[in-house]
Amino acid sequence: MLKKKQRVLFTREEIAREVRRIGNEIDRDYQGREVILAGVLKGAYLFIADLARAIEGPVVIDFCRIASYGAGTQSSGIIEFRKELEIPIRGKDVIIVEDVIDSGLTLEALYNKLLDQEPRSLKICTLIDKLARRETQVNVDYVGFTMDDGFIIGYGLDYDERYRNLPDIHVMDE
Ligand code: IMP
Ligand code: MG
């Protein structure tokens, strides 16, 4: 059950608008070249589903799943692939599709790992960028929303595996 104090931060209409905008940007940048969308499970599952449909050019979809080790909610940057990409990305144009970038440590490790597989190009797309909490510099190519601190749920994002199915994005009060 959703408690009243979890206020809506981004509505489903705002999300849809930003997803369409990013899809248009990707079409403009890739000019009909095939792009591999590499979604990071689980959080990006709804975003990648909508984003893929907002792109008119040819798209291939794959997923990886990552565990990031650290104390409590703090990311350590030491990542373990729970599931690797299945499609070879060597020589391909790849976009990592993330739900949230927080410290940036998980993404930095993922980016370097995928870079080792020698894609033709490798970009980063995130629905939400928590800029204020960044601990390492990552160049994000496509961003839906930026926000400061705060824990968010909905539209794929969970708190203890719950609330991923909420259509809007909510902020949880401490
Ligand atoms: P980072 O390594 O600190 O950037 O961790 C980013 C990952 O932590 C994201 O991919 C999310 O899975 C998770 N995460 C960070 N902030 C939130 C949040 O506010 N709600 C839900 N998950 C989050
Ligand atoms: Mg994630």
Side-chain angles (χ1 to χ4, degrees), residues 9 14 33 35 44 49 68 103 126 140 142 156:
L9 185 62
E14 290 169 323
R33 282 200 327 266
V35 60
S68 168
S103 71
T126 189
V140 186
Y142 305 103

Side-chain angles (χ1 to χ4, degrees), residues 7-63:
R7 68 184 169 85
V8 172
L9 185 62
F10 304 120
T11 65
R12 64 199 77 183
E13 291 82 12
E14 290 169 323
I15 296 167
R17 197 184 58 218
E18 295 310 309
V19 171
R20 272 198 307 275
R21 174 184 55 79
I22 296 172
N24 290 339
E25 286 178 22
I26 290 172
D27 275 326
R28 186 199 61 207
D29 291 350
Y30 290 83
Q31 300 278 330
R33 282 200 327 266
E34 182 178 271
V35 60
I36 296 182
L37 300 181
V40 184
L41 292 171
K42 299 179 194 172
Y45 82 106
L46 288 179
F47 178 40
I48 198 172
D50 287 339
L51 179 63
R53 287 178 288 181
I55 298 171
E56 283 185 12
V59 156
V60 168
I61 294 170
D62 203 356
F63 293 98

Side-chain angles (χ1 to χ4, degrees), residues 36 87-94 114 116-120:
I36 296 182
I87 295 167
I89 61 168
R90 192 191 177 105
K92 304 284 188 180
D93 292 303
V94 181
L114 294 187
D116 282 347
Q117 298 172 25
E118 300 183 335
R120 174 168 181 237

Side-chain angles (χ1 to χ4, degrees), residues 64-66 79-85 110 113-114:
C64 61
R65 180 144 168 69
I66 291 169
I79 67 167
E80 181 203 346
F81 270 80
R82 290 277 170 82
K83 180 198 175 304
E84 303 261 353
L85 292 178
L110 174 62
K113 167 132 183 164
L114 294 187

